[in-house]
């Protein structure tokens, strides 16, 4: 299939990109890595009048890692973030999740920010942003706004980005000391979108009891489902926690739909299994141990 006709724009400055987007209004679509947009065009599931290719805009490919977290620019490719030692040192979860995103060839071109805006409920990076309570910075000709993850994913493949806006970066906040993370998923074939997946973050107190534990689940609703399981962890040492029982609280909270890949019951069961694994591994990592 060939895409429907559109006007192509290749701005070379951020100001020019925002001007073109403002003039295009609802008929404009940003082209970043193209790994989701181009298939949508070719399948004629989208027919924007204007494509605004931002790949020549300088300064959008930054990956800034610091004690507060990691800021990822709109043109930072999945592979660049995955391979960044600085990003992995601050937030190992970024690498843990990005390894599960599609295949290396797609990760070489696709962008983290593009994945957030695309807001596929089966995608890994929206779950990571939701789990960490991160945010997305949106720019338009009228200025900038920072949208928290809890308000960014508004529905099935819907985000808070308005016509005329460009997502210029995303911020993934660092976790407190004695935190660990893990991401587990099941896909029908390696590199496919997950049938179900769970990202977990566990933070221990100085007494090595669980101070905070939460998960973000993919493919079980229109947006990532974040569940705080801290109360279910109990007062004992994290090393003795019954993660299968804790994962029961996650299973009870998700309400997936069935489709050609899996029934709703199977997805709910799988989410519980993956939540137990991810929480156990995150707790191991929080204690500085390998699982
Ligand atoms: C075979 C295959 C398998 C895949 N498997 C997975 C997977 O397992 N997990 C996963 O997470 N993803 C998967 N993907 C998708 C991949 O991660 C995409 O790269 C990603 O979803 C979109 O990033 P992109 O940069 O390619 O965005 P594009 O395709 O360029 O754009 C996607 C959408 O976001 C908008 N957009 C992009 N960037 C911006 C911006 N800066 N500001 C405003 N709007 C913007 C576009 O207008 C468009 O609507 C797969 C893709 C393919 C082709």
């Amino acid at each position: 299939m060939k895409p429907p006709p559109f006007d192509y724009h290749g701005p070379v400055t951020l100001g020019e990109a925002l001007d073109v987007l403002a003039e295009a209004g609802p008929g404009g679509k940003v082209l970043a890595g193209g790994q989701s947009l181009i298939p949508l065009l070719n399948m004629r599931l989208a027919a924007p009048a204007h494509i605004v290719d931002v790949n020549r805009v300088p300064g959008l490919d930054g990956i800034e890692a610091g004690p507060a977290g990691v800021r990822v620019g709109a043109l930072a490719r999945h592979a660049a973030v995955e391979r960044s030692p600085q990003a992995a040192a601050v937030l190992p979860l970024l690498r843990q999740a990005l390894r599960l995103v599609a295949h290396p060839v797609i990760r070489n071109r696709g962008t983290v920010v593009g994945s957030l805006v695309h807001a596929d409920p089966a995608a890994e990076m929206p779950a990571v942003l939701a789990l960490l309570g991160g945010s997305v910075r949106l720019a338009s000709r009228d200025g900038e706004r920072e949208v928290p993850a809890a308000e960014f994913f508004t529905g099935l493949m819907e985000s808070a980005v308005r016509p005329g806006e460009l997502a210029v970066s995303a911020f993934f906040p660092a976790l407190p000391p004695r935190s660990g993370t893990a991401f587990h998923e099941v896909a029908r074939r390696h590199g496919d979108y997950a049938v179900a997946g769970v990202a977990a973050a566990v933070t221990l107190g100085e007494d090595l009891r669980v101070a905070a534990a939460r998960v973000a689940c993919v493919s079980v609703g229109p947006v990532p489902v974040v569940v705080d399981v801290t109360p279910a962890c109990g007062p004992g040492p994290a090393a003795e926690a019954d993660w299968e029982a804790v994962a029961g609280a996650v299973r009870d909270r998700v309400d997936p739909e069935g489709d050609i890949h899996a029934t709703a019951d199977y997805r709910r069961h799988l989410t519980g299994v993956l939540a137990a694994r991810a929480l156990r591994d995150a707790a191991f990592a929080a204690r500085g141990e390998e699982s």
Side-chain angles (χ1 to χ4, degrees):
M1 290 279 284
K2 295 273 185 285
F6 54 80
D7 287 343
Y8 174 88
H9 307 267
V12 292
T13 65
L14 180 58
E16 197 189 335
L18 298 181
D19 282 344
V20 177
L21 282 169
E23 277 148 36
K29 273 268 173 212
V30 171
L31 175 70
Q35 299 304 296
S36 297
L37 182 58
I38 299 296
L40 284 177
L41 293 176
N42 287 348
M43 288 187 277
R44 303 214 167 198
L45 294 171
H50 300 271
I51 294 283
V52 185
D53 178 355
V54 294
N55 283 276
R56 291 182 203 86
V57 175
L60 291 181
D61 59 351
I63 304 168
E64 294 161 23
V70 181
R71 186 166 285 282
V72 174
L75 289 178
R77 312 289 164 180
H78 293 309
V81 182
E82 180 190 354
R83 291 187 199 134
S84 163
Q86 294 83 5
V90 175
L91 272 174
L93 181 59
L94 293 175
R95 186 174 282 175
Q96 291 162 348
L98 283 162
R99 282 188 179 141
L100 301 171
V101 173
H103 307 280
V105 174
I106 291 160
R107 299 204 291 271
N108 283 341
R109 194 70 199 159
T111 64
V112 167
V113 172
S115 175
L116 298 174
V117 176
H118 191 56
D120 191 316
E124 290 80 3
M125 297 318 285
V128 170
L129 193 83
L131 180 75
L132 297 173
S135 57
V136 180
R137 185 172 294 169
L138 303 175
S140 71
R141 217 158 51 175
D142 300 330
E144 284 191 345
R145 62 190 183 111
E146 190 90 24
V147 182
E151 294 163 28
F152 187 74
F153 304 108
T154 53
L156 184 73
M157 306 189 84
E158 296 283 344
S159 73
V161 180
R162 298 178 187 140
E165 285 186 321
L166 176 71
V168 285
S169 65
F171 182 67
F172 296 87
L175 289 160
R178 289 183 302 279
S179 293
T181 55
F183 203 128
H184 283 287
E185 70 176 37
V186 167
R188 281 167 59 86
R189 290 174 308 188
H190 173 69
D192 277 9
Y193 278 106
V195 174
V198 177
V202 174
T203 302
L204 305 181
E206 280 182 14
D207 55 3
L208 299 187
R209 291 166 206 273
V210 176
R214 58 188 187 280
V215 299
C217 309
V218 307
S219 290
V220 290
V223 298
V225 177
V226 178
V227 185
D228 184 346
V229 291
T230 315
C233 293
E240 293 168 16
D242 180 351
W243 296 115
E244 271 75 22
V246 176
V250 180
R251 206 170 36 237
D252 292 346
R253 277 283 300 278
V254 298
D255 187 19
E257 291 192 0
D259 59 19
I260 54 163
H261 302 300
T263 63
D265 280 349
Y266 177 68
R267 272 212 168 91
R268 188 179 303 105
H269 170 77
L270 191 55
T271 299
V273 171
L274 294 169
R277 279 184 205 162
L279 284 161
R280 182 181 297 108
D281 285 357
F284 266 116
R287 299 205 302 273
E289 298 168 17
E290 294 271 325
S291 58

